[in-house]
Amino acid sequence: MDAAALTAARQALTGAAPLVHCLTNTVVQTLTANALLAVGAAPAMVDEPLEAEGFAAVASAVLVNVGTVNQRTAQAMRLAARSAAAAGTPWVLDPVAVGALPYRTELAAELLEARPAVVRGNASEVMALAGAGTGGRGVDSTNEADEALDAAVALAGRTGGVVAVSGEVDVVTDGTRTVRVGGGSVLLTRTTGAGCALGAVVAAYVAATGDPLTGAVAGHAHVALAAEAAAAVAGGPGTFAPLWLDALDAVTDLSAARVDP
Amino acid sequence: MDAAALTAARQALTGAAPLVHCLTNTVVQTLTANALLAVGAAPAMVDEPLEAEGFAAVASAVLVNVGTVNQRTAQAMRLAARSAAAAGTPWVLDPVAVGALPYRTELAAELLEARPAVVRGNASEVMALAGAGTGGRGVDSTNEADEALDAAVALAGRTGGVVAVSGEVDVVTDGTRTVRVGGGSVLLTRTTGAGCALGAVVAAYVAATGDPLTGAVAGHAHVALAAEAAAAVAGGPGTFAPLWLDALDAVTDLSAARVDP
Amino acid sequence: MDAAALTAARQALTGAAPLVHCLTNTVVQTLTANALLAVGAAPAMVDEPLEAEGFAAVASAVLVNVGTVNQRTAQAMRLAARSAAAAGTPWVLDPVAVGALPYRTELAAELLEARPAVVRGNASEVMALAGAGTGGRGVDSTNEADEALDAAVALAGRTGGVVAVSGEVDVVTDGTRTVRVGGGSVLLTRTTGAGCALGAVVAAYVAATGDPLTGAVAGHAHVALAAEAAAAVAGGPGTFAPLWLDALDAVTDLSAARVDP
């Protein structure tokens, strides 16, 4: 993906200020909302079943993250995913800890039927969701991103969308084209919810660009560039988080990102 | 409101260290609790229906914020609001996204019957709650605060309390007197939960002063002064939040606030 | 507890990177997860009853914190505590506001039957749990830690585990040996969730060391040392939190902690 496409994506996000409806886990809601605000999107966390269906239909994009799912929020996720699909609204699935926990593994498989524009997870999660692995022990992946490439391609074939696998180098594929995004910082892995916030940023970019592959790559590039800037000045994993939000706001040009090809 | 009243309000808050029972959304609980601690109040987040009724009766003030309301917490809110009203405990209603989402719009209308001492929201929310508008698209307002003045006055007439509308200049009215609070920082709008935390600080001040108008104005003034101090040294929206909490703690004098009249 | 034992505990934690299953309150989940990551443990927040039982059996340790308990999460807590007990997995109970609120007071008494390896609370909570007091007004203690020593010893006798009482000087006892941990910073009391995160760090240390008394003391020592380092550079309670996380990461030696005897 060339620098012009990334530059255009950043401009599209600024112009669109998309409303991202997040059904996400309670550990990361604050960071996710602040990351969306920092990149210029508008977050709204709505996970009551009586509200989620209608709201998903009017949002610019929807994020479904099963990190702390329960039976009530699972129902809201089902309604929101179907509503988004019916309205043609792009939605992103983050299958946190799928493979490690049976209840959410079944739920994520069911949600796939609503064809997410993007699935974003770590290698263990993507492999488990594709039926190619048994998952890790939770939120940390025990596999490198490239180990999940075959699973990601297969999964993209089933959803008709994009699958993004986070790792030291992120792998983003629509089943045909595969793009890698390098850079970033290990401090992202020591900040709870950084990956979850990435999923939300991807949702915002997909809404703004209208293209799941471009949006997913741009989201990963934006997060990686901001992480590098923050890591250069952070004193540790605690001060990294607010500095990363500052940098998400300050990154107005994605052309320096390590995107291949 | 003169400087002496604001100075007295700050001293009253320090002296009272009020216990503020918060039924608030899961995105902003942490910032809200830390903001209350920073200004010298004691937060307690209790939103289980089996606990909320009894706790509201012994707290110094109650905050009800419908940001991520669900059917369980809605029931806790009903019980807490009625319990506060019966006990003569002041309570604050923050009608997040009312007007944009039917379920919570009905709930907020029902909660109004328990006569909140203060309603604090943005212009869209206050207009929707007063029946004068159809609301925005969520947490961000599409109207300036002064556009909601008529609605705020009407709403104050119905509740017998105060209505505060947040904006570039905040408008606070009891239906008869109207006070404006300027200053602050645009970074408040880029920090998720800053407005929600303001509602909690207002609840603390109302408990400490015993007067909804004085308390609401003092709360807005305190938050605005702290925001100005933090914005002067913040590197962006991420580092603003912890610096704002530092400043909420450091502001011991409200006499410099831009309060009119 | 001598310096060698503390040094060994820190090394054990680094080596084990224990997976800590947290059923904790929504106000503090983010800080708790980040604190666990900072000390080198792996957090996983899972509080759906359909998932909690199985996950508790495979985790390295379990934390149960009743801060924002509701009827759904209470059921998850019961299942997780019993599952941990049956699997021989150490678990920590943090009885937030027990004594002040009847519903959770009954729940905590019931959870005690699953014999937590460590109970960690403030003096009011420990006294209430031991049946020796009527509790405070919520999360803040109205008693010094040493006032709860008799209650802590009695409670340890009932659980067969350790009871840790937080205060200006923390008191940790297994009913026979009593160890005090000094230092720390008053800013811990002005940071929502610092005590709750301490409970999680204790759970990680108990898993890593295999000994509840050593683990509890090491956890308190680690948190206190990090708090001193952060307080020396923080500008107030807001900037303290990220700096404390930095310091939790940076503290690789506990031998300087004020542990007596």
PDB file of all heavy atoms in Angstrom, chain A residues 42, chain B residues 97-98 120-128 135-148 165-168 189:
ATOM      1  N   ALA A  42     -15.452   9.722  16.980  1.00  0.00           N
ATOM      2  CA  ALA A  42     -16.354   9.932  18.108  1.00  0.00           C
ATOM      3  C   ALA A  42     -16.771   8.577  18.664  1.00  0.00           C
ATOM      4  O   ALA A  42     -17.383   7.785  17.948  1.00  0.00           O
ATOM      5  CB  ALA A  42     -17.581  10.711  17.661  1.00  0.00           C
TER       6      ALA A  42
ATOM      7  N   ALA B  97     -26.462  11.117  26.321  1.00  0.00           N
ATOM      8  CA  ALA B  97     -27.038  10.612  25.066  1.00  0.00           C
ATOM      9  C   ALA B  97     -28.562  10.524  25.083  1.00  0.00           C
ATOM     10  O   ALA B  97     -29.158   9.881  24.212  1.00  0.00           O
ATOM     11  CB  ALA B  97     -26.423   9.287  24.650  1.00  0.00           C
ATOM     12  N   VAL B  98     -29.192  11.144  26.079  1.00  0.00           N
ATOM     13  CA  VAL B  98     -30.657  11.200  26.062  1.00  0.00           C
ATOM     14  C   VAL B  98     -31.091  12.009  24.840  1.00  0.00           C
ATOM     15  O   VAL B  98     -30.494  13.027  24.509  1.00  0.00           O
ATOM     16  CB  VAL B  98     -31.188  11.807  27.377  1.00  0.00           C
ATOM     17  CG1 VAL B  98     -32.606  12.346  27.233  1.00  0.00           C
ATOM     18  CG2 VAL B  98     -31.114  10.743  28.482  1.00  0.00           C
ATOM     19  N   ARG B 120     -27.162  17.851  34.877  1.00  0.00           N
ATOM     20  CA  ARG B 120     -25.995  18.383  34.167  1.00  0.00           C
ATOM     21  C   ARG B 120     -25.813  17.633  32.853  1.00  0.00           C
ATOM     22  O   ARG B 120     -25.688  16.405  32.840  1.00  0.00           O
ATOM     23  CB  ARG B 120     -24.712  18.200  34.973  1.00  0.00           C
ATOM     24  CG  ARG B 120     -23.521  18.929  34.319  1.00  0.00           C
ATOM     25  CD  ARG B 120     -22.223  18.148  34.378  1.00  0.00           C
ATOM     26  NE  ARG B 120     -22.247  17.017  33.487  1.00  0.00           N
ATOM     27  CZ  ARG B 120     -21.932  17.059  32.177  1.00  0.00           C
ATOM     28  NH1 ARG B 120     -21.577  18.173  31.607  1.00  0.00           N
ATOM     29  NH2 ARG B 120     -22.006  15.955  31.414  1.00  0.00           N
ATOM     30  N   GLY B 121     -25.825  18.343  31.735  1.00  0.00           N
ATOM     31  CA  GLY B 121     -25.645  17.692  30.448  1.00  0.00           C
ATOM     32  C   GLY B 121     -25.168  18.690  29.420  1.00  0.00           C
ATOM     33  O   GLY B 121     -24.864  19.837  29.754  1.00  0.00           O
ATOM     34  N   ASN B 122     -25.075  18.217  28.173  1.00  0.00           N
ATOM     35  CA  ASN B 122     -24.768  19.191  27.130  1.00  0.00           C
ATOM     36  C   ASN B 122     -26.090  19.724  26.559  1.00  0.00           C
ATOM     37  O   ASN B 122     -27.177  19.313  26.977  1.00  0.00           O
ATOM     38  CB  ASN B 122     -23.848  18.575  26.063  1.00  0.00           C
ATOM     39  CG  ASN B 122     -24.473  17.408  25.335  1.00  0.00           C
ATOM     40  OD1 ASN B 122     -25.682  17.387  25.112  1.00  0.00           O
ATOM     41  ND2 ASN B 122     -23.670  16.432  24.968  1.00  0.00           N
ATOM     42  N   ALA B 123     -25.994  20.629  25.631  1.00  0.00           N
ATOM     43  CA  ALA B 123     -27.195  21.304  25.140  1.00  0.00           C
ATOM     44  C   ALA B 123     -28.191  20.327  24.523  1.00  0.00           C
ATOM     45  O   ALA B 123     -29.400  20.383  24.796  1.00  0.00           O
ATOM     46  CB  ALA B 123     -26.805  22.389  24.133  1.00  0.00           C
ATOM     47  N   SER B 124     -27.702  19.407  23.702  1.00  0.00           N
ATOM     48  CA  SER B 124     -28.598  18.448  23.055  1.00  0.00           C
ATOM     49  C   SER B 124     -29.360  17.630  24.086  1.00  0.00           C
ATOM     50  O   SER B 124     -30.561  17.379  23.939  1.00  0.00           O
ATOM     51  CB  SER B 124     -27.795  17.493  22.156  1.00  0.00           C
ATOM     52  OG  SER B 124     -27.174  18.197  21.116  1.00  0.00           O
ATOM     53  N   GLU B 125     -28.634  17.181  25.103  1.00  0.00           N
ATOM     54  CA  GLU B 125     -29.260  16.333  26.113  1.00  0.00           C
ATOM     55  C   GLU B 125     -30.297  17.090  26.921  1.00  0.00           C
ATOM     56  O   GLU B 125     -31.400  16.583  27.197  1.00  0.00           O
ATOM     57  CB  GLU B 125     -28.167  15.764  27.040  1.00  0.00           C
ATOM     58  CG  GLU B 125     -27.224  14.792  26.319  1.00  0.00           C
ATOM     59  CD  GLU B 125     -25.869  14.637  26.977  1.00  0.00           C
ATOM     60  OE1 GLU B 125     -25.572  15.377  27.945  1.00  0.00           O
ATOM     61  OE2 GLU B 125     -25.077  13.783  26.512  1.00  0.00           O
ATOM     62  N   VAL B 126     -29.963  18.303  27.322  1.00  0.00           N
ATOM     63  CA  VAL B 126     -30.904  19.094  28.123  1.00  0.00           C
ATOM     64  C   VAL B 126     -32.143  19.439  27.292  1.00  0.00           C
ATOM     65  O   VAL B 126     -33.276  19.366  27.782  1.00  0.00           O
ATOM     66  CB  VAL B 126     -30.202  20.364  28.656  1.00  0.00           C
ATOM     67  CG1 VAL B 126     -31.212  21.358  29.225  1.00  0.00           C
ATOM     68  CG2 VAL B 126     -29.163  19.977  29.713  1.00  0.00           C
ATOM     69  N   MET B 127     -31.936  19.768  26.030  1.00  0.00           N
ATOM     70  CA  MET B 127     -33.084  20.076  25.172  1.00  0.00           C
ATOM     71  C   MET B 127     -33.956  18.832  24.978  1.00  0.00           C
ATOM     72  O   MET B 127     -35.189  18.917  25.014  1.00  0.00           O
ATOM     73  CB  MET B 127     -32.598  20.615  23.836  1.00  0.00           C
ATOM     74  CG  MET B 127     -31.981  22.012  23.976  1.00  0.00           C
ATOM     75  SD  MET B 127     -31.039  22.549  22.516  1.00  0.00           S
ATOM     76  CE  MET B 127     -32.382  22.942  21.396  1.00  0.00           C
ATOM     77  N   ALA B 128     -33.338  17.694  24.811  1.00  0.00           N
ATOM     78  CA  ALA B 128     -34.121  16.465  24.644  1.00  0.00           C
ATOM     79  C   ALA B 128     -34.888  16.141  25.919  1.00  0.00           C
ATOM     80  O   ALA B 128     -36.059  15.750  25.885  1.00  0.00           O
ATOM     81  CB  ALA B 128     -33.197  15.307  24.261  1.00  0.00           C
ATOM     82  N   GLY B 135     -32.087  15.572  20.305  1.00  0.00           N
ATOM     83  CA  GLY B 135     -30.810  15.025  20.739  1.00  0.00           C
ATOM     84  C   GLY B 135     -29.792  14.933  19.636  1.00  0.00           C
ATOM     85  O   GLY B 135     -30.083  15.095  18.453  1.00  0.00           O
ATOM     86  N   GLY B 136     -28.566  14.712  20.047  1.00  0.00           N
ATOM     87  CA  GLY B 136     -27.453  14.593  19.122  1.00  0.00           C
ATOM     88  C   GLY B 136     -27.247  13.157  18.726  1.00  0.00           C
ATOM     89  O   GLY B 136     -28.166  12.349  18.754  1.00  0.00           O
ATOM     90  N   ARG B 137     -26.012  12.845  18.385  1.00  0.00           N
ATOM     91  CA  ARG B 137     -25.743  11.480  17.951  1.00  0.00           C
ATOM     92  C   ARG B 137     -25.035  10.700  19.044  1.00  0.00           C
ATOM     93  O   ARG B 137     -24.501   9.646  18.812  1.00  0.00           O
ATOM     94  CB  ARG B 137     -24.902  11.494  16.673  1.00  0.00           C
ATOM     95  CG  ARG B 137     -23.550  12.150  16.843  1.00  0.00           C
ATOM     96  CD  ARG B 137     -22.742  12.052  15.572  1.00  0.00           C
ATOM     97  NE  ARG B 137     -21.355  12.331  15.836  1.00  0.00           N
ATOM     98  CZ  ARG B 137     -20.372  12.153  14.961  1.00  0.00           C
ATOM     99  NH1 ARG B 137     -20.645  11.707  13.758  1.00  0.00           N
ATOM    100  NH2 ARG B 137     -19.142  12.402  15.280  1.00  0.00           N
ATOM    101  N   GLY B 138     -25.055  11.206  20.235  1.00  0.00           N
ATOM    102  CA  GLY B 138     -24.421  10.486  21.329  1.00  0.00           C
ATOM    103  C   GLY B 138     -23.897  11.447  22.355  1.00  0.00           C
ATOM    104  O   GLY B 138     -24.635  12.319  22.801  1.00  0.00           O
ATOM    105  N   VAL B 139     -22.634  11.279  22.698  1.00  0.00           N
ATOM    106  CA  VAL B 139     -22.113  12.047  23.813  1.00  0.00           C
ATOM    107  C   VAL B 139     -21.686  13.460  23.437  1.00  0.00           C
ATOM    108  O   VAL B 139     -21.487  14.291  24.301  1.00  0.00           O
ATOM    109  CB  VAL B 139     -20.918  11.328  24.457  1.00  0.00           C
ATOM    110  CG1 VAL B 139     -21.391  10.028  25.085  1.00  0.00           C
ATOM    111  CG2 VAL B 139     -19.832  11.051  23.441  1.00  0.00           C
ATOM    112  N   ASP B 140     -21.516  13.738  22.176  1.00  0.00           N
ATOM    113  CA  ASP B 140     -21.087  15.081  21.807  1.00  0.00           C
ATOM    114  C   ASP B 140     -22.293  15.929  21.448  1.00  0.00           C
ATOM    115  O   ASP B 140     -23.235  15.483  20.805  1.00  0.00           O
ATOM    116  CB  ASP B 140     -20.084  15.044  20.652  1.00  0.00           C
ATOM    117  CG  ASP B 140     -20.612  14.251  19.466  1.00  0.00           C
ATOM    118  OD1 ASP B 140     -21.494  13.400  19.674  1.00  0.00           O
ATOM    119  OD2 ASP B 140     -20.141  14.472  18.350  1.00  0.00           O
ATOM    120  N   SER B 141     -22.252  17.132  21.885  1.00  0.00           N
ATOM    121  CA  SER B 141     -23.390  18.020  21.649  1.00  0.00           C
ATOM    122  C   SER B 141     -23.256  18.698  20.301  1.00  0.00           C
ATOM    123  O   SER B 141     -22.171  18.995  19.838  1.00  0.00           O
ATOM    124  CB  SER B 141     -23.443  19.089  22.722  1.00  0.00           C
ATOM    125  OG  SER B 141     -24.579  19.907  22.535  1.00  0.00           O
ATOM    126  N   THR B 142     -24.373  18.928  19.667  1.00  0.00           N
ATOM    127  CA  THR B 142     -24.360  19.652  18.399  1.00  0.00           C
ATOM    128  C   THR B 142     -24.893  21.068  18.585  1.00  0.00           C
ATOM    129  O   THR B 142     -25.127  21.777  17.621  1.00  0.00           O
ATOM    130  CB  THR B 142     -25.192  18.899  17.350  1.00  0.00           C
ATOM    131  OG1 THR B 142     -26.467  18.593  17.915  1.00  0.00           O
ATOM    132  CG2 THR B 142     -24.516  17.602  16.961  1.00  0.00           C
ATOM    133  N   ASN B 143     -25.120  21.456  19.850  1.00  0.00           N
ATOM    134  CA  ASN B 143     -25.628  22.797  20.112  1.00  0.00           C
ATOM    135  C   ASN B 143     -24.731  23.525  21.098  1.00  0.00           C
ATOM    136  O   ASN B 143     -24.097  22.910  21.944  1.00  0.00           O
ATOM    137  CB  ASN B 143     -27.037  22.710  20.726  1.00  0.00           C
ATOM    138  CG  ASN B 143     -28.016  21.990  19.830  1.00  0.00           C
ATOM    139  OD1 ASN B 143     -28.128  20.782  19.883  1.00  0.00           O
ATOM    140  ND2 ASN B 143     -28.705  22.738  18.999  1.00  0.00           N
ATOM    141  N   GLU B 144     -24.709  24.835  21.042  1.00  0.00           N
ATOM    142  CA  GLU B 144     -24.041  25.639  22.063  1.00  0.00           C
ATOM    143  C   GLU B 144     -24.913  25.676  23.315  1.00  0.00           C
ATOM    144  O   GLU B 144     -26.140  25.557  23.228  1.00  0.00           O
ATOM    145  CB  GLU B 144     -23.808  27.059  21.540  1.00  0.00           C
ATOM    146  CG  GLU B 144     -22.676  27.154  20.541  1.00  0.00           C
ATOM    147  CD  GLU B 144     -21.355  26.666  21.137  1.00  0.00           C
ATOM    148  OE1 GLU B 144     -20.971  27.165  22.209  1.00  0.00           O
ATOM    149  OE2 GLU B 144     -20.735  25.769  20.536  1.00  0.00           O
ATOM    150  N   ALA B 145     -24.266  25.887  24.448  1.00  0.00           N
ATOM    151  CA  ALA B 145     -24.999  25.840  25.715  1.00  0.00           C
ATOM    152  C   ALA B 145     -26.141  26.852  25.757  1.00  0.00           C
ATOM    153  O   ALA B 145     -27.244  26.544  26.232  1.00  0.00           O
ATOM    154  CB  ALA B 145     -24.026  26.070  26.875  1.00  0.00           C
ATOM    155  N   ASP B 146     -25.907  28.044  25.265  1.00  0.00           N
ATOM    156  CA  ASP B 146     -26.939  29.075  25.383  1.00  0.00           C
ATOM    157  C   ASP B 146     -28.182  28.762  24.553  1.00  0.00           C
ATOM    158  O   ASP B 146     -29.271  29.258  24.860  1.00  0.00           O
ATOM    159  CB  ASP B 146     -26.371  30.451  25.015  1.00  0.00           C
ATOM    160  CG  ASP B 146     -26.056  31.269  26.257  1.00  0.00           C
ATOM    161  OD1 ASP B 146     -26.935  31.364  27.130  1.00  0.00           O
ATOM    162  OD2 ASP B 146     -24.938  31.782  26.353  1.00  0.00           O
ATOM    163  N   GLU B 147     -28.018  27.924  23.527  1.00  0.00           N
ATOM    164  CA  GLU B 147     -29.194  27.522  22.753  1.00  0.00           C
ATOM    165  C   GLU B 147     -30.178  26.719  23.604  1.00  0.00           C
ATOM    166  O   GLU B 147     -31.363  26.619  23.271  1.00  0.00           O
ATOM    167  CB  GLU B 147     -28.778  26.656  21.556  1.00  0.00           C
ATOM    168  CG  GLU B 147     -28.011  27.407  20.485  1.00  0.00           C
ATOM    169  CD  GLU B 147     -27.669  26.486  19.331  1.00  0.00           C
ATOM    170  OE1 GLU B 147     -28.583  25.803  18.829  1.00  0.00           O
ATOM    171  OE2 GLU B 147     -26.487  26.444  18.946  1.00  0.00           O
ATOM    172  N   ALA B 148     -29.652  26.137  24.683  1.00  0.00           N
ATOM    173  CA  ALA B 148     -30.493  25.306  25.536  1.00  0.00           C
ATOM    174  C   ALA B 148     -31.028  26.070  26.741  1.00  0.00           C
ATOM    175  O   ALA B 148     -31.640  25.472  27.628  1.00  0.00           O
ATOM    176  CB  ALA B 148     -29.707  24.084  26.002  1.00  0.00           C
ATOM    177  N   VAL B 165     -25.811  23.422  31.796  1.00  0.00           N
ATOM    178  CA  VAL B 165     -25.549  23.036  30.420  1.00  0.00           C
ATOM    179  C   VAL B 165     -24.076  23.308  30.114  1.00  0.00           C
ATOM    180  O   VAL B 165     -23.614  24.451  30.211  1.00  0.00           O
ATOM    181  CB  VAL B 165     -26.434  23.830  29.439  1.00  0.00           C
ATOM    182  CG1 VAL B 165     -26.301  23.259  28.026  1.00  0.00           C
ATOM    183  CG2 VAL B 165     -27.883  23.832  29.896  1.00  0.00           C
ATOM    184  N   SER B 166     -23.347  22.252  29.759  1.00  0.00           N
ATOM    185  CA  SER B 166     -21.922  22.395  29.480  1.00  0.00           C
ATOM    186  C   SER B 166     -21.702  22.858  28.054  1.00  0.00           C
ATOM    187  O   SER B 166     -22.393  22.428  27.127  1.00  0.00           O
ATOM    188  CB  SER B 166     -21.206  21.055  29.681  1.00  0.00           C
ATOM    189  OG  SER B 166     -21.293  20.662  31.026  1.00  0.00           O
ATOM    190  N   GLY B 167     -20.736  23.718  27.883  1.00  0.00           N
ATOM    191  CA  GLY B 167     -20.378  24.208  26.562  1.00  0.00           C
ATOM    192  C   GLY B 167     -19.097  25.013  26.670  1.00  0.00           C
ATOM    193  O   GLY B 167     -18.421  24.952  27.690  1.00  0.00           O
ATOM    194  N   GLU B 168     -18.790  25.748  25.635  1.00  0.00           N
ATOM    195  CA  GLU B 168     -17.589  26.579  25.695  1.00  0.00           C
ATOM    196  C   GLU B 168     -17.721  27.541  26.883  1.00  0.00           C
ATOM    197  O   GLU B 168     -16.766  27.754  27.623  1.00  0.00           O
ATOM    198  CB  GLU B 168     -17.424  27.342  24.379  1.00  0.00           C
ATOM    199  CG  GLU B 168     -16.045  27.927  24.206  1.00  0.00           C
ATOM    200  CD  GLU B 168     -15.888  28.570  22.836  1.00  0.00           C
ATOM    201  OE1 GLU B 168     -16.472  28.051  21.862  1.00  0.00           O
ATOM    202  OE2 GLU B 168     -15.192  29.607  22.754  1.00  0.00           O
ATOM    203  N   THR B 189     -13.079  18.265  26.221  1.00  0.00           N
ATOM    204  CA  THR B 189     -13.967  17.579  25.275  1.00  0.00           C
ATOM    205  C   THR B 189     -13.256  16.430  24.562  1.00  0.00           C
ATOM    206  O   THR B 189     -13.899  15.653  23.878  1.00  0.00           O
ATOM    207  CB  THR B 189     -14.490  18.551  24.194  1.00  0.00           C
ATOM    208  OG1 THR B 189     -13.390  18.946  23.347  1.00  0.00           O
ATOM    209  CG2 THR B 189     -15.106  19.782  24.809  1.00  0.00           C
TER     210      THR B 189
END
